[in-house]
Amino acid sequence: MGRQAALPGLAPEEEKLDELEGTLERVVFHNPENGYTVFRMRIEGKEDLATVVGAMSSPQPGSNLRVRGHWTSHPKFGRQMQMISWEEHRPATTEGIRLFLASGCIKGVGPRWADRIVARFGTETLRVLDEDPDRLLELPRFGRKRLAEVKSSWAEHQGVRELMMFLQPHGIGPSYAVRIYRFYGAQALAVVQENPYRLAMDIHGIGFATADALAAKLGFEPDSPLRAEAGVLYILLKITEEGHIYYPRAKLVEAASQQLDIAPELIDEALGKLELEERVVIEDLGEHEGVYLSRNHLYESKIAFYLQRLLRSPKAVRFDDAKKTVREVLERLPMQLADEQREAVYTAATAKVMVLTGGPGTGKTTILNAIIQVFAEARAKILLAAPTGRAAKRMAETSGREARTIHRLLEYSPKEDGFGRNENNPLACGLLVVDEASMMDTMLMYHLVKAAPLGATFILVGDVNQLPSVGPGNVLRDVIASGAVPVVELFEVFRQAAESDIICNAHQINRGDMPTLRQSRNEKTDFYFFRQEDPELAADLVVDLVRERIPRRFGFRPEDIQVLSPMLKGAVGVNSLNRRLQDALNPQDNFIQRGERQFRPGDKVMQIRNNYDKDVFNGDMGTIILLDREERELTVRYDDRNVPYLWEEMDEIVPAYAISIHKSQGGEYPVVVIPLLMQHYVLLQRNLVYTAVTRGRKLVVLVGEYKALAMAVNNNRIRHRYTWLAHRLTEDEAILRPDMLPDFGGPEEQ
């Protein structure tokens, strides 16, 4: 049976169309993002192949097509048909079937196996694949493993094709169709028809507007309860992506009513329905009602519970004389600590939970290593962790001990989609330390404190003045603000660190003072500012600095240099700079095009979403070491291992010659180059520039306008996040009953 597709925005019945019927011989070009395709057709009785141009979901050589459209003449490529609609029939001839199978659309079947299969079954091949695929075992050396692969791929191929045919006229491209099918399986088409709004919630990259447009075409009314509920959920999800844990009910109703053009009463009704279905939690917070996604409410309230439980549990690691032990350890250190630093070590030895915060050069690493030595004296088991692989690696280097990402520490299992360590299977340690705690979002903190052993000393280390976590919440700031936990804040800068202009300027920026910009070429410095007000010229200067000037003057390699930009768009935004730097540092014709991005062997890339199956996480950086254009696959090297990516997975990685300042959190680079211009004015904040400057270890170079730098330094308006953790940590109901506490017997608990 044939399948038909009419392209959006055109009405074939209203105009006279030319028609072609034949076999799709060869695909010249196909863009899976938008379906744009150029292919050659063999028309029966004609020697020359016809060129056809238009949108097609998944062109396969060998397919029998009836194409309707208009003949046009291209100045370069000659006569071609501009396709408006098409109808597909399965290939009927043995040659058509062979071409179809040889195209690689079915995993496990390449050109050689296509020849053998068609030689055995002839025109019955497709019927065999549909009805009796086990007959493939009649072929010599066609094993059961290959059979299982072919059966699975054939079923998926058929399902995806049907889904593509349904979605293409509604503006949802083929690459999304593949993802939708893999998410919902064989029920994909039924799910989309029944509730298209699920796409906005479940499929990354499909926004509410797309799902809403599809729903309208399927006959859903603008004020339908399903639309109101889906819209509220989607807006709430977007709000949490901006960092909020909850949103005031009145503000949410107003925002949803405006964006959906639905009466506020209907939004309130939708909220009531969602609350009954336990998809949201609505809580009276005193000054207003807060609306939470259910999981966020669980995370926040349980963090308070588990932290209170930790605070009220006895220490498993006990010191006969804590002051004496601390004094003996500090006497063995090669340098003498300041009073506030000594106090920090003593607090760690006596407290159950502690926060250690301070800017660069204040000795957080020195203090942390002293704390580790104190607990080592008591033979405690010590666990070190950080939110990202980069931060964990740096922690391991500075401490000389193993440090893991929080995900690895908690033994995340993609198969089980959960953590192996939890309250029923807690971590075994006497000291648990988390570095770069400002990066930890609410979800990660929840899983960590849930798995912390009750007797452990729990220490959060971080710089509270840096940008908050990318994920929702403001954990470190909230824990400090609660007053429920001892906090040691370091202010004094070490003498050696004070010699660095990077560190001095970072502290000046944090205080709201302009950094010192040395003008003389003879003055030794590790902090430079290049003035350039024109965005295009500033972008050219950034490329020149990375490719030529910094390597020539300071001996750094281009790969040692990381460009950090406040925003994605514009001439000095991440996207534009990546294209320029890629062409300047890694020019070559061997690449895979994915939308607007090119991937080339040798490219520096970054993972932008957590992928637990691959064990790579948002912010991980690596290098493309292998690229297969035919199979459209590539392999990225991350530190000590290789990770393969299929075509449909490549939207999880981006070129990383330039990255956003937000994405740089937890990382340190020998050199950073930071463009700052007035076109960034929306994002010019003190904590943004402070975070960027503190990423540079040996050299920091600013490029742009003095006015933009001044605006950022003077703007200390931190974007407010709606969280309630600080309040929960001080609420009476968070206090535990004595019967909830364990009885620790002694040193074996360490």
Side-chain angles (χ1 to χ4, degrees), residues 384-396 403-408 434-441 444 470 606-607 610 616-621 639 662-669 695:
L384 308 179
T388 67
R390 284 176 292 163
K393 188 179 178 183
R394 201 172 74 247
M395 195 181 189
R404 287 173 275 180
T405 63
I406 295 171
H407 283 89
R408 288 201 176 112
V434 178
D435 199 9
E436 296 287 355
S438 62
M439 297 180 64
M440 196 161 39
D441 63 20
L444 202 53
V470 175
M606 173 185 278
Q607 177 80 15
N610 290 341
V616 287
F617 303 99
N618 191 353
D620 285 354
M621 294 179 74
D639 291 330
H662 282 84
K663 290 288 188 186
S664 73
Q665 288 173 269
E668 259 193 1
Y669 314 94
R695 300 307 90 201

Side-chain angles (χ1 to χ4, degrees), residues 25 226 410 449 453 749:
E25 187 85 5
L226 198 62
L410 299 179
V449 293
E749 298 290 340

Side-chain angles (χ1 to χ4, degrees), residues 369-640:
N369 288 338
I371 292 169
I372 289 169
Q373 288 184 46
V374 167
F375 278 79
E377 290 284 313
R379 298 182 183 176
K381 184 173 181 184
I382 298 165
L383 293 177
L384 308 179
T388 67
R390 284 176 292 163
K393 188 179 178 183
R394 201 172 74 247
M395 195 181 189
E397 289 167 353
T398 56
S399 67
R401 288 174 168 266
E402 182 189 18
R404 287 173 275 180
T405 63
I406 295 171
H407 283 89
R408 288 201 176 112
L409 183 76
L410 299 179
E411 299 171 11
Y412 182 82
S413 166
K415 204 171 186 181
E416 303 293 327
D417 191 26
F419 294 94
R421 296 289 185 170
N422 48 47
E423 57 191 329
N424 299 318
N425 183 28
L427 298 163
C429 64
L431 174 66
L432 175 60
V433 182
V434 178
D435 199 9
E436 296 287 355
S438 62
M439 297 180 64
M440 196 161 39
D441 63 20
T442 302
M443 184 274 287
L444 202 53
M445 179 68 167
Y446 159 73
H447 286 291
L448 182 63
V449 293
K450 184 167 72 166
L454 293 178
T457 296
F458 183 40
I459 299 178
L460 296 171
V461 184
D463 186 348
V464 75
N465 293 308
Q466 287 192 24
L467 290 168
S469 59
V470 175
N474 213 341
V475 172
L476 186 63
R477 189 174 287 274
D478 284 350
V479 170
I480 293 171
S482 73
V485 170
V487 177
V488 178
E489 188 167 5
L490 304 170
F491 297 98
E492 189 175 340
V493 178
F494 276 180
R495 182 176 57 79
Q496 188 177 353
E499 295 173 1
S500 163
D501 281 341
I502 294 175
I503 289 173
C504 291
N505 281 335
H507 284 277
Q508 285 178 217
I509 291 167
N510 193 39
R511 290 194 300 268
D513 298 328
M514 286 293 287
T516 302
L517 305 175
R518 303 186 189 276
Q519 301 298 318
S520 172
R521 289 178 63 90
N522 300 321
E523 285 186 277
K524 186 182 176 185
T525 182
D526 52 10
F527 193 100
Y528 291 87
F529 181 79
F530 288 84
R531 295 195 184 207
Q532 179 51 257
E533 295 186 358
D534 182 275
E536 292 290 339
L537 294 176
D540 290 340
L541 179 55
V542 168
V543 172
D544 189 41
L545 284 164
V546 175
R547 182 177 56 187
E548 300 288 347
R549 293 200 199 185
I550 294 174
R552 187 172 64 240
R553 173 82 184 271
F554 299 97
F556 294 107
R557 301 169 302 166
E559 50 263 43
D560 295 327
I561 305 168
Q562 185 61 59
V563 177
L564 306 178
S565 178
M567 62 195 301
L568 298 179
K569 296 180 179 177
V572 284
V574 169
N575 297 336
S576 175
L577 285 173
N578 262 319
R579 286 192 290 271
R580 291 181 187 238
L581 287 163
Q582 186 184 44
D583 288 340
L585 301 174
N586 192 25
Q588 52 180 297
D589 296 328
N590 183 25
F591 60 84
I592 292 175
Q593 189 82 32
R594 183 74 162 86
E596 294 182 356
R597 300 185 188 116
Q598 281 188 7
F599 296 107
R600 307 172 184 175
D603 273 344
K604 184 198 293 188
V605 293
M606 173 185 278
Q607 177 80 15
I608 58 171
R609 290 205 301 277
N610 290 341
N611 187 321
Y612 302 108
D613 292 317
K614 295 183 182 295
D615 198 26
V616 287
F617 303 99
N618 191 353
D620 285 354
M621 294 179 74
T623 304
I624 297 175
I625 58 168
L626 291 171
L627 185 144
D628 189 327
R629 292 180 70 173
E630 285 191 19
E631 295 293 328
R632 296 196 300 180
E633 296 174 358
L634 57 81
T635 300
V636 179
R637 179 77 174 176
Y638 293 103
D639 291 330
D640 55 349

Side-chain angles (χ1 to χ4, degrees), residues 658-684:
I659 62 175
S660 70
I661 295 170
H662 282 84
K663 290 288 188 186
S664 73
Q665 288 173 269
E668 259 193 1
Y669 314 94
V671 184
V672 296
V673 177
I674 309 162
L676 285 175
L677 284 97
M678 288 306 295
Q679 65 174 213
H680 299 143
Y681 75 95
V682 176
L683 294 169
L684 292 176

Side-chain angles (χ1 to χ4, degrees), residues 135-294:
R135 286 193 63 192
L136 293 173
L137 294 172
E138 297 172 13
L139 296 166
R141 295 190 299 280
F142 198 99
R144 291 196 173 276
K145 186 177 177 183
R146 187 181 298 274
L147 176 66
E149 191 176 32
V150 169
K151 285 166 91 170
S152 171
S153 182
W154 182 253
E156 181 175 308
H157 177 79
Q158 297 299 93
V160 169
R161 297 270 294 169
E162 286 179 11
L163 190 62
M164 282 177 175
M165 300 298 296
F166 177 78
L167 293 174
Q168 185 77 30
H170 303 300
I172 298 176
S175 59
Y176 285 123
V178 173
R179 199 174 297 167
I180 293 165
Y181 187 88
R182 289 183 178 169
F183 190 89
Y184 299 121
Q187 301 303 309
L189 186 57
V191 167
V192 171
Q193 290 172 322
E194 184 183 336
N195 185 1
Y197 292 106
R198 286 184 62 180
L199 296 178
M201 304 300 295
D202 296 336
I203 311 299
H204 180 82
I206 296 181
F208 181 80
T210 302
D212 199 30
L214 174 59
K217 290 177 181 176
L218 295 176
F220 287 79
E221 294 296 328
D223 60 351
S224 76
L226 198 62
R227 181 172 183 261
E229 290 163 32
V232 167
L233 277 177
Y234 188 75
I235 290 166
L236 198 52
L237 184 67
K238 288 297 171 188
I239 284 166
T240 63
E241 287 176 359
E242 292 171 11
H244 304 292
I245 290 294
Y246 76 90
Y247 212 58
R249 180 171 184 157
K251 287 191 172 194
L252 179 62
V253 169
E254 184 184 2
S257 178
Q258 287 179 357
Q259 290 183 44
L260 300 174
D261 196 20
I262 295 178
E265 310 84 70
L266 294 177
I267 302 297
D268 265 320
E269 286 176 19
L271 276 172
K273 180 82 180 302
L274 292 169
E275 187 179 23
L276 281 172
E277 293 173 355
E278 298 183 351
R279 290 197 280 176
V280 303
V281 173
I282 303 174
E283 185 179 352
D284 186 355
L285 302 176
E287 55 197 60
H288 54 245
E289 283 189 303
V291 184
Y292 292 79
L293 290 173
S294 294

Side-chain angles (χ1 to χ4, degrees), residues 9 23 56 124 139 148 190 291 325 346 377 480 506 590 602 630 643 679 689 716:
T23 305
M56 183 175 270
E124 292 290 291
L139 296 166
V291 184
T325 305
Y346 178 71
E377 290 284 313
I480 293 171
N590 183 25
E630 285 191 19
V643 178
Q679 65 174 213
V689 178
N716 198 31

